[in-house]
Amino acid sequence: MSGPYPEQPKQPLVLGIESSCDETGVGIVRGTTLLTNTVSSSMDEHVRFGGVIPEIASRAHLDAFVPTLQEALHEAGVTLEDVDAIAVTSGPGLAGALMVGVCAAKALSVATGKPLYAINHLVAHVGVGLLDSKPDAGAAAGQLPQNLGAGQLPQNLGALLVSGGHTEILRIRSITDDVELLGSTIDDAAGEAYDKVARILGLGYPGGPAIDKLARQGNPKSIRFPRGLTQPKYMGTAEEKGPHRYDWSFSGLKTAVARCVEQFEARGEEVPIADIAAAFQEAVVDVISSKAVLACKEHGITDVLLGGGVAANSRLRELTGQRCVSAGIKLHVPPLDLCTDNGAMVAALGAQLIMAGIGPSGIAFAPDSSMPVTTVSVAA
């Protein structure tokens, strides 16, 4: 890390820019208080392709950035001159999409003279949990606490990030400089698997909401789909951990669904789409929640934050909540609009870096599409 920021505002006003995939996000926070979270999504432009097309996403960011920035400043009631610092997602993400946001942030930094922080998209999903927020109306019967809040991290904190691009379990000792990766997917992310299975079932894109809705009409026990990397050779024991004890794999599950559909069609039978959707979803959330809770128990993690776009999945929230309660772990889920990619999470992490006395990144950095989660921010 670079040297300390010369002047450390107690409640810095930070503008955050997010463009790692198909959302153009601009958020503004003051310390841990959210002022605005403005997002422009290009998802509708990708629907006919069944997934995000990087070139289309990049062009959409170019079109959306200035209007999104103007709207965010207006909603927050501030100007660029009022801002103490700018934070931008530097990685991981789609290379072209990242480039748009990073170039915009650098231009703003040079034009205004404001310090620029290049931060990690994944750690930002945890940082958003530190914002003060109202209870989430989508939480199930009060079982899922909202944000961590007020800038205070629990001593033994973990994070389960589940999205279209990432499925990871993290240990957070310090959100500004000490993040450890405990486990991750070795192939498809959970959200990616949802999209691919939805395509197989003819449900369209995005697949997550469609499968979640249809699964409520099906029987999750009707078909037993595989739980990847749960065999003893991968899991090992608590004393001698296997090579993938806390990791996930969803590519085999996707293939199993495809073969299941083919078998019904080959027999001339109607494909039970609702049952397949329910069984597929149960396989995903079962293995995600069980491995995440196992990692938390074996690393002394007592609080875990669930983030990422797939955190909106009702069954994932329900089963993870149940298993956390059984294990004595407190689960935190930010409001759904803060779980998906957004600029507020980038601004929130930027504010934490400033308040910790960590210096800005300057403008010489380049976006890194494969930035490791252990790199919280880019040093100057």
Side-chain angles (χ1 to χ4, degrees), residues 174-226:
S174 168
I175 197 167
T176 58
D177 60 10
D178 193 349
V179 176
E180 179 185 1
L181 177 64
L182 300 180
S184 65
T185 178
I186 65 171
D187 41 55
D188 291 347
E192 185 180 8
Y194 267 89
D195 288 339
K196 290 179 178 178
V197 167
R199 191 179 306 132
I200 293 171
L201 297 179
L203 299 179
Y205 174 85
I211 289 178
D212 190 19
K213 181 179 180 179
L214 185 61
R216 297 168 195 167
Q217 305 171 27
N219 177 7
K221 297 182 180 179
S222 61
I223 303 168
R224 174 71 182 184
F225 285 125

mmCIF file of all heavy atoms in Angstrom, residues 174-226:
data_model
loop_
_atom_site.group_PDB
_atom_site.id
_atom_site.type_symbol
_atom_site.label_atom_id
_atom_site.label_comp_id
_atom_site.label_asym_id
_atom_site.label_seq_id
_atom_site.Cartn_x
_atom_site.Cartn_y
_atom_site.Cartn_z
ATOM 1 N N SER A 174 -9.472 -7.879 7.926
ATOM 2 C CA SER A 174 -9.544 -6.423 7.779
ATOM 3 C C SER A 174 -10.044 -6.139 6.373
ATOM 4 O O SER A 174 -9.450 -6.614 5.400
ATOM 5 C CB SER A 174 -8.180 -5.761 7.989
ATOM 6 O OG SER A 174 -8.221 -4.408 7.565
ATOM 7 N N ILE A 175 -11.098 -5.354 6.261
ATOM 8 C CA ILE A 175 -11.671 -5.111 4.950
ATOM 9 C C ILE A 175 -10.769 -4.245 4.087
ATOM 10 O O ILE A 175 -10.915 -4.184 2.867
ATOM 11 C CB ILE A 175 -13.066 -4.473 5.073
ATOM 12 C CG1 ILE A 175 -13.818 -4.618 3.755
ATOM 13 C CG2 ILE A 175 -12.970 -3.013 5.502
ATOM 14 C CD1 ILE A 175 -15.263 -4.311 3.822
ATOM 15 N N THR A 176 -9.794 -3.587 4.683
ATOM 16 C CA THR A 176 -8.920 -2.702 3.913
ATOM 17 C C THR A 176 -7.607 -3.353 3.500
ATOM 18 O O THR A 176 -6.977 -2.892 2.552
ATOM 19 C CB THR A 176 -8.594 -1.421 4.705
ATOM 20 O OG1 THR A 176 -7.977 -1.768 5.952
ATOM 21 C CG2 THR A 176 -9.861 -0.615 4.968
ATOM 22 N N ASP A 177 -7.199 -4.428 4.183
ATOM 23 C CA ASP A 177 -5.897 -4.983 3.809
ATOM 24 C C ASP A 177 -5.662 -6.446 4.182
ATOM 25 O O ASP A 177 -4.550 -6.941 4.068
ATOM 26 C CB ASP A 177 -4.754 -4.149 4.412
ATOM 27 C CG ASP A 177 -4.790 -4.094 5.934
ATOM 28 O OD1 ASP A 177 -5.572 -4.851 6.547
ATOM 29 O OD2 ASP A 177 -4.046 -3.281 6.508
ATOM 30 N N ASP A 178 -6.707 -7.169 4.605
ATOM 31 C CA ASP A 178 -6.476 -8.567 4.992
ATOM 32 C C ASP A 178 -7.702 -9.417 4.676
ATOM 33 O O ASP A 178 -8.564 -9.628 5.530
ATOM 34 C CB ASP A 178 -6.129 -8.667 6.481
ATOM 35 C CG ASP A 178 -5.572 -10.040 6.858
ATOM 36 O OD1 ASP A 178 -5.640 -10.966 6.030
ATOM 37 O OD2 ASP A 178 -5.060 -10.183 7.990
ATOM 38 N N VAL A 179 -7.773 -9.864 3.437
ATOM 39 C CA VAL A 179 -8.871 -10.718 2.970
ATOM 40 C C VAL A 179 -8.286 -12.038 2.487
ATOM 41 O O VAL A 179 -7.357 -12.057 1.681
ATOM 42 C CB VAL A 179 -9.661 -10.042 1.834
ATOM 43 C CG1 VAL A 179 -10.737 -10.976 1.291
ATOM 44 C CG2 VAL A 179 -10.277 -8.730 2.317
ATOM 45 N N GLU A 180 -8.833 -13.147 2.975
ATOM 46 C CA GLU A 180 -8.326 -14.479 2.627
ATOM 47 C C GLU A 180 -9.390 -15.265 1.865
ATOM 48 O O GLU A 180 -10.550 -15.313 2.269
ATOM 49 C CB GLU A 180 -7.935 -15.235 3.894
ATOM 50 C CG GLU A 180 -7.424 -16.653 3.645
ATOM 51 C CD GLU A 180 -7.162 -17.416 4.925
ATOM 52 O OE1 GLU A 180 -7.383 -16.855 6.018
ATOM 53 O OE2 GLU A 180 -6.743 -18.588 4.835
ATOM 54 N N LEU A 181 -8.984 -15.877 0.760
ATOM 55 C CA LEU A 181 -9.880 -16.735 -0.009
ATOM 56 C C LEU A 181 -9.830 -18.145 0.575
ATOM 57 O O LEU A 181 -8.787 -18.786 0.582
ATOM 58 C CB LEU A 181 -9.447 -16.764 -1.474
ATOM 59 C CG LEU A 181 -10.248 -17.678 -2.407
ATOM 60 C CD1 LEU A 181 -11.684 -17.205 -2.520
ATOM 61 C CD2 LEU A 181 -9.593 -17.741 -3.787
ATOM 62 N N LEU A 182 -10.984 -18.630 1.046
ATOM 63 C CA LEU A 182 -11.053 -19.979 1.610
ATOM 64 C C LEU A 182 -11.488 -21.003 0.568
ATOM 65 O O LEU A 182 -11.014 -22.138 0.576
ATOM 66 C CB LEU A 182 -12.029 -20.005 2.791
ATOM 67 C CG LEU A 182 -11.707 -19.098 3.976
ATOM 68 C CD1 LEU A 182 -12.765 -19.253 5.061
ATOM 69 C CD2 LEU A 182 -10.324 -19.417 4.535
ATOM 70 N N GLY A 183 -12.393 -20.620 -0.315
ATOM 71 C CA GLY A 183 -12.866 -21.547 -1.331
ATOM 72 C C GLY A 183 -13.556 -20.800 -2.450
ATOM 73 O O GLY A 183 -14.045 -19.682 -2.267
ATOM 74 N N SER A 184 -13.602 -21.431 -3.635
ATOM 75 C CA SER A 184 -14.240 -20.793 -4.787
ATOM 76 C C SER A 184 -14.665 -21.860 -5.780
ATOM 77 O O SER A 184 -14.305 -23.032 -5.650
ATOM 78 C CB SER A 184 -13.283 -19.808 -5.463
ATOM 79 O OG SER A 184 -12.180 -20.504 -6.020
ATOM 80 N N THR A 185 -15.430 -21.461 -6.776
ATOM 81 C CA THR A 185 -15.787 -22.400 -7.827
ATOM 82 C C THR A 185 -14.572 -22.653 -8.719
ATOM 83 O O THR A 185 -13.772 -21.744 -8.947
ATOM 84 C CB THR A 185 -16.956 -21.877 -8.672
ATOM 85 O OG1 THR A 185 -17.237 -22.816 -9.704
ATOM 86 C CG2 THR A 185 -16.648 -20.536 -9.292
ATOM 87 N N ILE A 186 -14.441 -23.874 -9.206
ATOM 88 C CA ILE A 186 -13.306 -24.190 -10.078
ATOM 89 C C ILE A 186 -13.730 -24.170 -11.549
ATOM 90 O O ILE A 186 -12.899 -24.384 -12.425
ATOM 91 C CB ILE A 186 -12.683 -25.564 -9.727
ATOM 92 C CG1 ILE A 186 -13.671 -26.694 -9.991
ATOM 93 C CG2 ILE A 186 -12.199 -25.582 -8.278
ATOM 94 C CD1 ILE A 186 -13.056 -28.088 -9.869
ATOM 95 N N ASP A 187 -15.011 -23.904 -11.809
ATOM 96 C CA ASP A 187 -15.471 -23.805 -13.204
ATOM 97 C C ASP A 187 -16.581 -22.761 -13.279
ATOM 98 O O ASP A 187 -16.317 -21.572 -13.110
ATOM 99 C CB ASP A 187 -15.918 -25.165 -13.757
ATOM 100 C CG ASP A 187 -16.713 -25.988 -12.748
ATOM 101 O OD1 ASP A 187 -17.723 -25.468 -12.242
ATOM 102 O OD2 ASP A 187 -16.341 -27.151 -12.486
ATOM 103 N N ASP A 188 -17.803 -23.159 -13.550
ATOM 104 C CA ASP A 188 -18.905 -22.204 -13.626
ATOM 105 C C ASP A 188 -19.189 -21.589 -12.259
ATOM 106 O O ASP A 188 -19.116 -22.267 -11.229
ATOM 107 C CB ASP A 188 -20.187 -22.894 -14.109
ATOM 108 C CG ASP A 188 -20.110 -23.336 -15.561
ATOM 109 O OD1 ASP A 188 -19.175 -22.894 -16.249
ATOM 110 O OD2 ASP A 188 -20.974 -24.114 -15.993
ATOM 111 N N ALA A 189 -19.542 -20.305 -12.247
ATOM 112 C CA ALA A 189 -20.110 -19.712 -11.048
ATOM 113 C C ALA A 189 -21.569 -20.134 -10.953
ATOM 114 O O ALA A 189 -22.173 -20.580 -11.936
ATOM 115 C CB ALA A 189 -19.994 -18.192 -11.097
ATOM 116 N N ALA A 190 -22.159 -19.993 -9.766
ATOM 117 C CA ALA A 190 -23.541 -20.435 -9.577
ATOM 118 C C ALA A 190 -24.498 -19.709 -10.521
ATOM 119 O O ALA A 190 -25.359 -20.332 -11.148
ATOM 120 C CB ALA A 190 -23.958 -20.223 -8.126
ATOM 121 N N GLY A 191 -24.357 -18.397 -10.630
ATOM 122 C CA GLY A 191 -25.242 -17.638 -11.510
ATOM 123 C C GLY A 191 -25.095 -18.045 -12.957
ATOM 124 O O GLY A 191 -26.079 -18.082 -13.716
ATOM 125 N N GLU A 192 -23.881 -18.357 -13.361
ATOM 126 C CA GLU A 192 -23.631 -18.818 -14.729
ATOM 127 C C GLU A 192 -24.322 -20.153 -14.970
ATOM 128 O O GLU A 192 -24.899 -20.386 -16.042
ATOM 129 C CB GLU A 192 -22.123 -18.939 -14.941
ATOM 130 C CG GLU A 192 -21.703 -19.298 -16.345
ATOM 131 C CD GLU A 192 -20.192 -19.413 -16.483
ATOM 132 O OE1 GLU A 192 -19.486 -19.355 -15.456
ATOM 133 O OE2 GLU A 192 -19.731 -19.568 -17.624
ATOM 134 N N ALA A 193 -24.274 -21.035 -13.963
ATOM 135 C CA ALA A 193 -24.944 -22.330 -14.089
ATOM 136 C C ALA A 193 -26.458 -22.144 -14.209
ATOM 137 O O ALA A 193 -27.122 -22.831 -14.997
ATOM 138 C CB ALA A 193 -24.620 -23.207 -12.878
ATOM 139 N N TYR A 194 -27.014 -21.211 -13.460
ATOM 140 C CA TYR A 194 -28.447 -20.915 -13.573
ATOM 141 C C TYR A 194 -28.796 -20.485 -14.998
ATOM 142 O O TYR A 194 -29.799 -20.929 -15.575
ATOM 143 C CB TYR A 194 -28.838 -19.807 -12.592
ATOM 144 C CG TYR A 194 -29.339 -20.298 -11.257
ATOM 145 C CD1 TYR A 194 -28.470 -20.539 -10.204
ATOM 146 C CD2 TYR A 194 -30.697 -20.510 -11.048
ATOM 147 C CE1 TYR A 194 -28.924 -20.979 -8.968
ATOM 148 C CE2 TYR A 194 -31.171 -20.947 -9.819
ATOM 149 C CZ TYR A 194 -30.280 -21.177 -8.784
ATOM 150 O OH TYR A 194 -30.751 -21.615 -7.564
ATOM 151 N N ASP A 195 -27.985 -19.596 -15.568
ATOM 152 C CA ASP A 195 -28.267 -19.112 -16.919
ATOM 153 C C ASP A 195 -28.204 -20.237 -17.942
ATOM 154 O O ASP A 195 -29.045 -20.324 -18.845
ATOM 155 C CB ASP A 195 -27.273 -18.012 -17.302
ATOM 156 C CG ASP A 195 -27.529 -16.708 -16.563
ATOM 157 O OD1 ASP A 195 -28.656 -16.510 -16.087
ATOM 158 O OD2 ASP A 195 -26.586 -15.905 -16.446
ATOM 159 N N LYS A 196 -27.213 -21.118 -17.804
ATOM 160 C CA LYS A 196 -27.057 -22.205 -18.767
ATOM 161 C C LYS A 196 -28.184 -23.225 -18.642
ATOM 162 O O LYS A 196 -28.700 -23.727 -19.651
ATOM 163 C CB LYS A 196 -25.696 -22.874 -18.575
ATOM 164 C CG LYS A 196 -24.526 -21.986 -18.996
ATOM 165 C CD LYS A 196 -23.185 -22.658 -18.764
ATOM 166 C CE LYS A 196 -22.034 -21.768 -19.244
ATOM 167 N NZ LYS A 196 -20.704 -22.386 -18.994
ATOM 168 N N VAL A 197 -28.582 -23.541 -17.419
ATOM 169 C CA VAL A 197 -29.669 -24.490 -17.217
ATOM 170 C C VAL A 197 -30.996 -23.879 -17.682
ATOM 171 O O VAL A 197 -31.839 -24.575 -18.278
ATOM 172 C CB VAL A 197 -29.741 -24.930 -15.742
ATOM 173 C CG1 VAL A 197 -31.053 -25.663 -15.444
ATOM 174 C CG2 VAL A 197 -28.552 -25.839 -15.416
ATOM 175 N N ALA A 198 -31.184 -22.602 -17.448
ATOM 176 C CA ALA A 198 -32.409 -21.945 -17.930
ATOM 177 C C ALA A 198 -32.506 -22.026 -19.443
ATOM 178 O O ALA A 198 -33.597 -22.215 -20.003
ATOM 179 C CB ALA A 198 -32.430 -20.485 -17.473
ATOM 180 N N ARG A 199 -31.364 -21.916 -20.108
ATOM 181 C CA ARG A 199 -31.356 -22.028 -21.570
ATOM 182 C C ARG A 199 -31.752 -23.443 -21.984
ATOM 183 O O ARG A 199 -32.510 -23.626 -22.948
ATOM 184 C CB ARG A 199 -29.961 -21.672 -22.101
ATOM 185 C CG ARG A 199 -29.912 -21.491 -23.618
ATOM 186 C CD ARG A 199 -28.514 -21.110 -24.076
ATOM 187 N NE ARG A 199 -28.029 -19.943 -23.362
ATOM 188 C CZ ARG A 199 -26.828 -19.866 -22.795
ATOM 189 N NH1 ARG A 199 -26.005 -20.879 -22.845
ATOM 190 N NH2 ARG A 199 -26.460 -18.764 -22.192
ATOM 191 N N ILE A 200 -31.253 -24.447 -21.269
ATOM 192 C CA ILE A 200 -31.598 -25.841 -21.563
ATOM 193 C C ILE A 200 -33.105 -26.071 -21.388
ATOM 194 O O ILE A 200 -33.737 -26.787 -22.170
ATOM 195 C CB ILE A 200 -30.804 -26.795 -20.638
ATOM 196 C CG1 ILE A 200 -29.310 -26.741 -20.966
ATOM 197 C CG2 ILE A 200 -31.327 -28.231 -20.751
ATOM 198 C CD1 ILE A 200 -28.433 -27.476 -19.959
ATOM 199 N N LEU A 201 -33.674 -25.422 -20.376
ATOM 200 C CA LEU A 201 -35.089 -25.620 -20.070
ATOM 201 C C LEU A 201 -36.000 -24.680 -20.858
ATOM 202 O O LEU A 201 -37.222 -24.726 -20.699
ATOM 203 C CB LEU A 201 -35.324 -25.419 -18.564
ATOM 204 C CG LEU A 201 -34.605 -26.398 -17.631
ATOM 205 C CD1 LEU A 201 -34.902 -26.064 -16.177
ATOM 206 C CD2 LEU A 201 -34.976 -27.839 -17.939
ATOM 207 N N GLY A 202 -35.402 -23.825 -21.677
ATOM 208 C CA GLY A 202 -36.187 -22.904 -22.487
ATOM 209 C C GLY A 202 -36.796 -21.758 -21.700
ATOM 210 O O GLY A 202 -37.869 -21.247 -22.065
ATOM 211 N N LEU A 203 -36.115 -21.325 -20.637
ATOM 212 C CA LEU A 203 -36.668 -20.294 -19.762
ATOM 213 C C LEU A 203 -36.142 -18.903 -20.053
ATOM 214 O O LEU A 203 -36.586 -17.933 -19.451
ATOM 215 C CB LEU A 203 -36.383 -20.652 -18.295
ATOM 216 C CG LEU A 203 -36.979 -21.971 -17.800
ATOM 217 C CD1 LEU A 203 -36.596 -22.209 -16.355
ATOM 218 C CD2 LEU A 203 -38.494 -21.951 -17.955
ATOM 219 N N GLY A 204 -35.157 -18.792 -20.931
ATOM 220 C CA GLY A 204 -34.649 -17.467 -21.269
ATOM 221 C C GLY A 204 -33.618 -16.938 -20.293
ATOM 222 O O GLY A 204 -33.177 -17.633 -19.360
ATOM 223 N N TYR A 205 -33.240 -15.685 -20.515
ATOM 224 C CA TYR A 205 -32.192 -15.009 -19.741
ATOM 225 C C TYR A 205 -32.769 -13.740 -19.112
ATOM 226 O O TYR A 205 -33.583 -13.063 -19.742
ATOM 227 C CB TYR A 205 -31.020 -14.657 -20.661
ATOM 228 C CG TYR A 205 -29.927 -13.838 -20.025
ATOM 229 C CD1 TYR A 205 -28.911 -14.455 -19.298
ATOM 230 C CD2 TYR A 205 -29.926 -12.450 -20.146
ATOM 231 C CE1 TYR A 205 -27.915 -13.704 -18.706
ATOM 232 C CE2 TYR A 205 -28.929 -11.690 -19.560
ATOM 233 C CZ TYR A 205 -27.923 -12.319 -18.840
ATOM 234 O OH TYR A 205 -26.939 -11.569 -18.245
ATOM 235 N N PRO A 206 -32.398 -13.408 -17.872
ATOM 236 C CA PRO A 206 -31.491 -14.122 -16.976
ATOM 237 C C PRO A 206 -32.156 -15.341 -16.347
ATOM 238 O O PRO A 206 -33.363 -15.327 -16.080
ATOM 239 C CB PRO A 206 -31.132 -13.071 -15.925
ATOM 240 C CG PRO A 206 -32.324 -12.170 -15.887
ATOM 241 C CD PRO A 206 -32.841 -12.110 -17.293
ATOM 242 N N GLY A 207 -31.369 -16.366 -16.085
ATOM 243 C CA GLY A 207 -31.930 -17.628 -15.650
ATOM 244 C C GLY A 207 -32.284 -17.699 -14.182
ATOM 245 O O GLY A 207 -33.207 -18.433 -13.800
ATOM 246 N N GLY A 208 -31.560 -16.950 -13.335
ATOM 247 C CA GLY A 208 -31.768 -17.043 -11.893
ATOM 248 C C GLY A 208 -33.201 -16.793 -11.454
ATOM 249 O O GLY A 208 -33.831 -17.656 -10.816
ATOM 250 N N PRO A 209 -33.764 -15.626 -11.771
ATOM 251 C CA PRO A 209 -35.139 -15.356 -11.343
ATOM 252 C C PRO A 209 -36.155 -16.328 -11.935
ATOM 253 O O PRO A 209 -37.114 -16.719 -11.256
ATOM 254 C CB PRO A 209 -35.380 -13.926 -11.854
ATOM 255 C CG PRO A 209 -34.020 -13.330 -11.988
ATOM 256 C CD PRO A 209 -33.137 -14.457 -12.405
ATOM 257 N N ALA A 210 -35.953 -16.735 -13.196
ATOM 258 C CA ALA A 210 -36.892 -17.641 -13.844
ATOM 259 C C ALA A 210 -36.907 -19.004 -13.160
ATOM 260 O O ALA A 210 -37.980 -19.583 -12.900
ATOM 261 C CB ALA A 210 -36.537 -17.797 -15.321
ATOM 262 N N ILE A 211 -35.731 -19.542 -12.855
ATOM 263 C CA ILE A 211 -35.660 -20.853 -12.202
ATOM 264 C C ILE A 211 -36.180 -20.766 -10.775
ATOM 265 O O ILE A 211 -36.903 -21.653 -10.296
ATOM 266 C CB ILE A 211 -34.223 -21.395 -12.238
ATOM 267 C CG1 ILE A 211 -33.858 -21.806 -13.673
ATOM 268 C CG2 ILE A 211 -34.055 -22.581 -11.288
ATOM 269 C CD1 ILE A 211 -32.448 -22.323 -13.838
ATOM 270 N N ASP A 212 -35.831 -19.701 -10.066
ATOM 271 C CA ASP A 212 -36.282 -19.529 -8.682
ATOM 272 C C ASP A 212 -37.808 -19.524 -8.617
ATOM 273 O O ASP A 212 -38.424 -20.155 -7.755
ATOM 274 C CB ASP A 212 -35.706 -18.231 -8.119
ATOM 275 C CG ASP A 212 -35.921 -18.096 -6.614
ATOM 276 O OD1 ASP A 212 -36.183 -19.124 -5.950
ATOM 277 O OD2 ASP A 212 -35.826 -16.966 -6.101
ATOM 278 N N LYS A 213 -38.445 -18.829 -9.551
ATOM 279 C CA LYS A 213 -39.902 -18.746 -9.580
ATOM 280 C C LYS A 213 -40.535 -20.087 -9.939
ATOM 281 O O LYS A 213 -41.484 -20.548 -9.284
ATOM 282 C CB LYS A 213 -40.336 -17.672 -10.574
ATOM 283 C CG LYS A 213 -41.840 -17.480 -10.667
ATOM 284 C CD LYS A 213 -42.186 -16.378 -11.660
ATOM 285 C CE LYS A 213 -43.681 -16.173 -11.773
ATOM 286 N NZ LYS A 213 -44.013 -15.082 -12.734
ATOM 287 N N LEU A 214 -40.003 -20.733 -10.978
ATOM 288 C CA LEU A 214 -40.570 -22.006 -11.423
ATOM 289 C C LEU A 214 -40.347 -23.111 -10.409
ATOM 290 O O LEU A 214 -41.190 -24.013 -10.257
ATOM 291 C CB LEU A 214 -39.945 -22.394 -12.770
ATOM 292 C CG LEU A 214 -40.496 -23.641 -13.452
ATOM 293 C CD1 LEU A 214 -41.983 -23.467 -13.764
ATOM 294 C CD2 LEU A 214 -39.715 -23.941 -14.734
ATOM 295 N N ALA A 215 -39.223 -23.058 -9.691
ATOM 296 C CA ALA A 215 -38.894 -24.114 -8.733
ATOM 297 C C ALA A 215 -39.928 -24.224 -7.623
ATOM 298 O O ALA A 215 -40.106 -25.305 -7.035
ATOM 299 C CB ALA A 215 -37.514 -23.850 -8.136
ATOM 300 N N ARG A 216 -40.621 -23.153 -7.337
ATOM 301 C CA ARG A 216 -41.639 -23.184 -6.282
ATOM 302 C C ARG A 216 -42.816 -24.080 -6.656
ATOM 303 O O ARG A 216 -43.581 -24.498 -5.795
ATOM 304 C CB ARG A 216 -42.123 -21.761 -5.992
ATOM 305 C CG ARG A 216 -41.026 -20.847 -5.466
ATOM 306 C CD ARG A 216 -41.458 -19.389 -5.459
ATOM 307 N NE ARG A 216 -40.312 -18.507 -5.288
ATOM 308 C CZ ARG A 216 -40.332 -17.196 -5.485
ATOM 309 N NH1 ARG A 216 -41.472 -16.615 -5.853
ATOM 310 N NH2 ARG A 216 -39.249 -16.468 -5.318
ATOM 311 N N GLN A 217 -42.959 -24.368 -7.954
ATOM 312 C CA GLN A 217 -44.047 -25.229 -8.420
ATOM 313 C C GLN A 217 -43.606 -26.684 -8.555
ATOM 314 O O GLN A 217 -44.430 -27.555 -8.856
ATOM 315 C CB GLN A 217 -44.548 -24.727 -9.777
ATOM 316 C CG GLN A 217 -44.973 -23.274 -9.792
ATOM 317 C CD GLN A 217 -45.262 -22.771 -11.200
ATOM 318 O OE1 GLN A 217 -45.624 -23.552 -12.087
ATOM 319 N NE2 GLN A 217 -45.113 -21.475 -11.420
ATOM 320 N N GLY A 218 -42.307 -26.939 -8.384
ATOM 321 C CA GLY A 218 -41.785 -28.289 -8.595
ATOM 322 C C GLY A 218 -41.421 -28.999 -7.307
ATOM 323 O O GLY A 218 -41.473 -28.422 -6.215
ATOM 324 N N ASN A 219 -41.034 -30.260 -7.461
ATOM 325 C CA ASN A 219 -40.632 -31.101 -6.327
ATOM 326 C C ASN A 219 -39.110 -31.249 -6.344
ATOM 327 O O ASN A 219 -38.566 -31.945 -7.216
ATOM 328 C CB ASN A 219 -41.300 -32.473 -6.438
ATOM 329 C CG ASN A 219 -40.873 -33.410 -5.322
ATOM 330 O OD1 ASN A 219 -40.180 -33.016 -4.383
ATOM 331 N ND2 ASN A 219 -41.281 -34.672 -5.424
ATOM 332 N N PRO A 220 -38.409 -30.641 -5.399
ATOM 333 C CA PRO A 220 -36.943 -30.704 -5.408
ATOM 334 C C PRO A 220 -36.382 -32.097 -5.144
ATOM 335 O O PRO A 220 -35.213 -32.367 -5.417
ATOM 336 C CB PRO A 220 -36.544 -29.730 -4.295
ATOM 337 C CG PRO A 220 -37.727 -29.680 -3.385
ATOM 338 C CD PRO A 220 -38.924 -29.833 -4.295
ATOM 339 N N LYS A 221 -37.229 -33.013 -4.639
ATOM 340 C CA LYS A 221 -36.777 -34.368 -4.334
ATOM 341 C C LYS A 221 -37.089 -35.350 -5.464
ATOM 342 O O LYS A 221 -36.793 -36.540 -5.352
ATOM 343 C CB LYS A 221 -37.428 -34.859 -3.040
ATOM 344 C CG LYS A 221 -37.036 -34.038 -1.821
ATOM 345 C CD LYS A 221 -37.676 -34.586 -0.554
ATOM 346 C CE LYS A 221 -37.278 -33.770 0.668
ATOM 347 N NZ LYS A 221 -37.911 -34.285 1.927
ATOM 348 N N SER A 222 -37.688 -34.846 -6.535
ATOM 349 C CA SER A 222 -38.093 -35.734 -7.623
ATOM 350 C C SER A 222 -36.904 -36.304 -8.381
ATOM 351 O O SER A 222 -36.962 -37.411 -8.924
ATOM 352 C CB SER A 222 -38.999 -34.978 -8.595
ATOM 353 O OG SER A 222 -38.304 -33.869 -9.153
ATOM 354 N N ILE A 223 -35.808 -35.543 -8.431
ATOM 355 C CA ILE A 223 -34.591 -35.967 -9.134
ATOM 356 C C ILE A 223 -33.405 -35.633 -8.239
ATOM 357 O O ILE A 223 -33.359 -34.559 -7.640
ATOM 358 C CB ILE A 223 -34.444 -35.227 -10.483
ATOM 359 C CG1 ILE A 223 -35.684 -35.447 -11.357
ATOM 360 C CG2 ILE A 223 -33.185 -35.689 -11.221
ATOM 361 C CD1 ILE A 223 -35.746 -34.529 -12.560
ATOM 362 N N ARG A 224 -32.472 -36.529 -8.157
ATOM 363 C CA ARG A 224 -31.277 -36.291 -7.347
ATOM 364 C C ARG A 224 -30.128 -35.932 -8.278
ATOM 365 O O ARG A 224 -29.521 -36.789 -8.912
ATOM 366 C CB ARG A 224 -30.914 -37.536 -6.529
ATOM 367 C CG ARG A 224 -29.593 -37.440 -5.771
ATOM 368 C CD ARG A 224 -29.665 -36.490 -4.592
ATOM 369 N NE ARG A 224 -28.360 -36.392 -3.920
ATOM 370 C CZ ARG A 224 -28.141 -35.692 -2.813
ATOM 371 N NH1 ARG A 224 -29.143 -35.053 -2.238
ATOM 372 N NH2 ARG A 224 -26.945 -35.649 -2.271
ATOM 373 N N PHE A 225 -29.855 -34.651 -8.382
ATOM 374 C CA PHE A 225 -28.730 -34.201 -9.198
ATOM 375 C C PHE A 225 -27.446 -34.194 -8.357
ATOM 376 O O PHE A 225 -27.498 -34.074 -7.133
ATOM 377 C CB PHE A 225 -28.996 -32.801 -9.742
ATOM 378 C CG PHE A 225 -29.987 -32.769 -10.873
ATOM 379 C CD1 PHE A 225 -31.117 -31.958 -10.814
ATOM 380 C CD2 PHE A 225 -29.796 -33.553 -12.005
ATOM 381 C CE1 PHE A 225 -32.032 -31.924 -11.860
ATOM 382 C CE2 PHE A 225 -30.711 -33.528 -13.065
ATOM 383 C CZ PHE A 225 -31.822 -32.716 -12.981
ATOM 384 N N PRO A 226 -26.284 -34.317 -9.004
ATOM 385 C CA PRO A 226 -25.021 -34.415 -8.268
ATOM 386 C C PRO A 226 -24.635 -33.129 -7.546
ATOM 387 O O PRO A 226 -24.991 -32.030 -7.986
ATOM 388 C CB PRO A 226 -23.999 -34.737 -9.367
ATOM 389 C CG PRO A 226 -24.610 -34.204 -10.619
ATOM 390 C CD PRO A 226 -26.087 -34.418 -10.465
#
